[in-house]
Amino acid sequence: MGKRRCVVAALAAIMLMMELAALTVAEHRRSMLSNGLGMTPPMGWNSWNHFGCNIDEKMIKETADALVSTGLSKLGYEYVNIDDCWAEISRDDKGNLVPKKSTFPSGIKALADYVNKKGLKLGIYSDAGYFTCSRKMPGSLGYEEQDAKTFASWGIDYLKYDNCNNDGSKPTKRYPVMTRALMKAGRPIFFSLCEWGDMHPAEWGAPVGNSWRTTNDISDNWESMISRADQNEIYAEYARPGGWNDPDMLEVGNGGMTKDEYIVHFSLWAISKAPLLLGCDIRNMTRETMDIITNKDVIAVNQDPYGFQAKKVRMEGDQEIWSAPLSGYKIAVVLLNRGPVRYSTTARWDDIGLDPKTVVQARDLWEHKTLKTTFVGNLTATLRPHSCKLYVLKPIA
């Protein structure tokens, strides 16, 4: 009997050592991209959703101006990200990328200097292939170190790295090459993997980049938006400070959804700790759009230092409850109606990790008020079609 106990104890010790070794390896792998960026999800703007290839340096400067004049920059929207189509189709005789002379005649460094002087950061786009997705400019495949050094010399702070027109090799082989190139470039650059979720980048992205697309491109309609949120939620456990799941950029303000639908969009991206990258023309926004994207309480949920991404904790037909713990012992909860008719939807304490007897104070983030009534056991709201409520719950007894 004593011998058997010794064997069991030895096996237990071996298993513990293996677990500790695995944790050590995981920590080492995670530190491969130790650029110190993305401690909270990035916030800013990207050109693609609204402008596509119709971009130039004048529009980028005006966008930077608008981020400051509207007060968006003070809320944390700091990145001004140029997407596809900024470069000439051919590299120069030294193999360098060349800004398109007809649209960026002053060059990218001058543009970065302009953006930096406003307290903002310039982002740029490339591709882990021979050409970018537009096929109007070269990709960085085979030129990773040269391009990373170029971006650093220009003062770039963010790189979105797409997955088109590649050599057929796996992204798990191609993307780390740019990771290593960026680490040698001499400037911390936020690395956004745009692999479209093809090979589950959430499972391998942490040591490679600061965020990773979990979905294909978003479109400005309800079905596209809500399906991207669904696909992204599957990988919630992989999100953490320094590395975030990315369900693609925001469509708020582009006109394809209702106000309620855009509020759902912004709420789900916020509670999912997704990058908050505006995709509209911020030089010409409606008051409705401004009200959504400047909601400080909702932004605070997204930027909470704990960095826990929300999970669906209950699904009953078109009614869903999404929940995520926040710092300060608080909990963020979305009550969502995905359906075409009004519903009464209930969040139950035992679904969101609270003792059923807990007394809770609730703040309604879209009504901008703390509710006078306290709640025990559950909270119920009546929701219009394609709408939600976003609450922050604070236990008080």
Side-chain angles (χ1 to χ4, degrees), residues 145-394:
E145 284 203 20
Q146 187 167 356
D147 290 353
K149 288 177 182 176
T150 297
F151 298 149
S153 72
W154 286 345
I156 293 298
D157 286 303
Y158 188 112
L159 173 62
K160 176 182 174 182
Y161 204 47
D162 223 328
N163 194 32
C164 291
N165 303 305
N166 59 69
D167 60 359
S169 63
K170 293 181 179 181
T172 48
K173 176 184 177 182
R174 286 177 285 114
Y175 278 80
V177 180
M178 181 56 86
T179 302
R180 292 189 287 272
L182 291 172
M183 291 171 71
K184 296 177 186 176
R187 181 183 181 88
I189 296 175
F190 187 103
F191 192 24
S192 168
L193 316 181
C194 187
E195 183 262 15
W196 321 318
D198 279 6
M199 291 194 68
H200 308 288
E203 297 176 358
W204 51 267
V208 180
N210 299 110
S211 67
W212 41 84
R213 276 276 294 280
T214 53
T215 71
N216 215 319
D217 288 3
I218 194 172
S219 297
D220 188 18
N221 62 73
W222 171 262
E223 290 302 329
S224 175
M225 180 275 292
I226 205 73
S227 66
R228 299 304 178 272
D230 290 339
Q231 293 163 30
N232 188 66
E233 185 266 348
I234 294 168
Y235 302 104
E237 67 194 75
Y238 295 99
R240 68 199 71 181
W244 307 103
N245 293 314
D246 178 6
D248 205 3
M249 298 163 293
L250 291 162
E251 292 282 7
V252 180
N254 279 331
M257 288 184 259
T258 66
K259 179 182 178 181
D260 280 346
E261 289 172 341
Y262 279 140
I263 286 175
V264 170
H265 184 12
F266 200 74
S267 298
L268 291 181
W269 263 236
I271 201 171
S272 298
K273 304 303 188 289
L276 296 183
L277 296 175
L278 304 172
C280 62
D281 183 355
I282 62 172
R283 304 168 302 172
N284 299 291
M285 290 185 294
T286 63
R287 170 47 55 187
E288 184 177 282
T289 296
M290 274 292 290
D291 288 345
I292 294 172
I293 66 175
T294 60
N295 188 315
K296 292 180 181 180
D297 286 340
V298 179
I299 291 171
V301 168
N302 179 259
Q303 297 289 298
D304 185 81
Y306 272 20
F308 289 115
Q309 180 177 327
K311 291 285 291 180
K312 296 182 192 183
V313 296
R314 184 175 285 264
M315 296 176 284
E316 296 178 353
D318 289 324
Q319 302 174 69
E320 291 182 354
I321 308 298
W322 297 53
S323 177
L326 302 174
S327 56
Y329 305 103
K330 298 176 183 177
I331 297 176
V333 181
V334 167
L335 282 65
L336 173 63
N337 177 11
R338 301 169 65 118
V341 297
R342 291 171 70 92
Y343 275 117
S344 179
T345 304
T346 299
R348 298 172 177 83
W349 281 195
D350 55 356
D351 287 333
I352 62 175
L354 287 175
D355 186 285
K357 297 177 182 177
T358 304
V359 181
V360 162
Q361 183 183 74
R363 181 163 179 81
D364 185 327
L365 302 195
W366 289 108
E367 294 295 329
H368 306 282
K369 65 182 182 182
T370 300
L371 305 184
K372 293 179 181 179
T373 306
T374 56
F375 300 87
V376 180
N378 63 75
L379 185 156
T380 299
T382 300
L383 304 174
R384 295 185 295 271
H386 290 190
S387 75
C388 74
K389 284 283 191 181
L390 173 53
Y391 298 102
V392 168
L393 307 181
K394 180 182 179 181

Side-chain angles (χ1 to χ4, degrees), residues 44-46 50-51 59-60 62-70 72-73 77 79-80 120 252-254 278-286 289-290 293:
W45 172 88
N46 177 285
H50 189 86
F51 295 96
M59 183 270 285
I60 300 298
E62 289 172 352
T63 298
D65 295 343
L67 280 173
V68 174
S69 64
T70 57
L72 288 169
S73 61
Y77 294 99
Y79 288 105
V80 181
L120 303 171
V252 180
N254 279 331
L278 304 172
C280 62
D281 183 355
I282 62 172
R283 304 168 302 172
N284 299 291
M285 290 185 294
T286 63
T289 296
M290 274 292 290
I293 66 175

